[in-house]
Amino acid sequence: MNLNQLANNLNILCRSVGAFIKKEGEGFERSSIEQKGFNDLVSYVDKEAEQKLVEGLRQLLPEAGFVTEEGTDTTRGERFNWVIDPLDGTTNFIHGLPAYCVSVGLMDGDEVVLGTVFDPNRDECFWAYKGGGAFCNGSSIKVSDAPALKDGLIATGFPYFDFGLTQQYLQVLGAFMSRSHGIRRIGSAALDLVYVACGRFEGFFEYNLNAWDVAAGVIIVQEAGGRLSKFTGEGDVVFGREIVASNGSVHPEMLQTIGEFWKKPVA
Ligand code: 2AM
Ligand code: CA
Ligand code: CA
Ligand code: CA
């Protein structure tokens, strides 16, 4: 398979779906949103964007299956699977906050080999494939060379409901506040990851994410020279539901800071 050519076609598709989302955001009626669960919003834009992606990706790689947030196609491929978040940052989108993106990764078995994250508001297309380096639009990107947490800007996402974890999460936040340049909370995990890849953030951590939130970002961070792990420092970050991404240098301090306060929830 020619991953470079597939990446080019994937970028074109993500750009076109991103343009659709941005267009629908103009004059978007909040009354059209649905609630999947507590603090779990979805709109017709998420669903239509996903349908467009699935249709386009079926043409690009007919043998691949799908893992998607809105469940347009649940067929699993024997080897290849597209992992799709059609609109990452739905809450931002619904509120007219221009911080959302399209995120699509391709898995070969249990490994992400290709990914694109497109932000239609900044017209930034982040992409990477295994062994090919990471890019934003036409330029090569790499993680920040800041050596220590005290020189770093750290991103996170807040838990959506209380697993009984809010207090320890706030303690982790407090520790990062005093040990880094600061904390940012954008509301799109895919953007958080690619901002680690291009050096805007030194690190990012979040609990309870899904594979579609992170698949594309994972390969982009890897190819940009970053490090990824679960909170414990190891484990599958795509389906593992928790992630730490960093420039590598600040990773040990991040794991240490999280580990001081984070005790596994009672399932
Ligand atoms: P979404 O916008 O695609 O739903 C930000 O913290 C991340 O969490 C985003 O990637 C967002 O993805 C996701 N997210 C938003 N609401 C969520 C919920 N109720 N449960 C789990 N993840 C959610
Ligand atoms: Ca969602
Ligand atoms: Ca998401
Ligand atoms: Ca989504």
Side-chain angles (χ1 to χ4, degrees), residues 38-41 69 85 87-91 157-158 160-161 185 187-190 206 208-210 213:
F38 176 71
N39 269 353
D40 197 355
L41 308 174
E69 179 170 17
D85 192 337
L87 203 183
D88 187 51
T90 294
T91 303
F158 304 145
Y160 290 89
F161 48 94
R185 200 293 188 203
S188 159
E206 186 159 353
N208 205 35
L209 289 175
N210 289 291
D213 298 312

Side-chain angles (χ1 to χ4, degrees), residues 9 13 36 42 45 55 71 125-126 161 166 171 173 181 185 206 213 226 228 230 242 248 250 258:
N9 288 323
L13 180 63
K36 292 197 278 188
V42 67
V45 182
E55 280 163 27
C125 186
F126 295 88
F161 48 94
T166 303
Q171 286 182 298
L173 278 189
H181 275 176
R185 200 293 188 203
E206 186 159 353
D213 298 312
L228 294 146
K230 294 184 65 169
E242 61 181 46
V250 308
I258 294 167

Side-chain angles (χ1 to χ4, degrees), residues 148-265:
L149 187 56
K150 68 175 178 40
D151 310 303
L153 189 59
I154 302 301
T156 188
F158 304 145
Y160 290 89
F161 48 94
D162 190 345
F163 299 93
L165 296 172
T166 303
Q167 285 315 312
Q168 65 191 48
Y169 187 79
L170 292 175
Q171 286 182 298
V172 174
L173 278 189
F176 276 112
M177 276 161 69
S178 60
R179 296 176 193 183
S180 69
H181 275 176
I183 301 171
R184 296 292 181 268
R185 200 293 188 203
I186 291 183
S188 159
L191 287 182
D192 290 326
L193 285 167
V194 297
Y195 288 0
V196 171
C198 71
R200 292 174 186 164
F201 292 140
E202 275 64 32
F204 162 64
F205 69 99
E206 186 159 353
Y207 181 71
N208 205 35
L209 289 175
N210 289 291
W212 48 76
D213 298 312
V214 299
V218 160
I219 181 76
I220 297 169
V221 170
Q222 278 167 351
E223 288 293 325
R227 182 174 160 194
L228 294 146
S229 73
K230 294 184 65 169
F231 289 2
T232 51
E234 53 201 27
D236 172 23
V237 292
V238 179
F239 287 93
R241 303 199 69 84
E242 61 181 46
I243 194 166
V244 183
S246 80
N247 68 348
S249 314
V250 308
H251 213 89
E253 283 180 281
M254 286 188 72
L255 296 181
Q256 156 74 28
T257 301
I258 294 167
E260 271 173 49
F261 304 101
W262 193 258
K263 302 290 168 262
K264 259 270 183 247

Side-chain angles (χ1 to χ4, degrees), residues 9-23:
N9 288 323
L10 177 61
N11 289 345
I12 291 166
L13 180 63
C14 289
R15 280 183 173 277
S16 109
V17 172
F20 161 77
I21 294 171
K22 188 178 174 206
K23 180 99 193 3

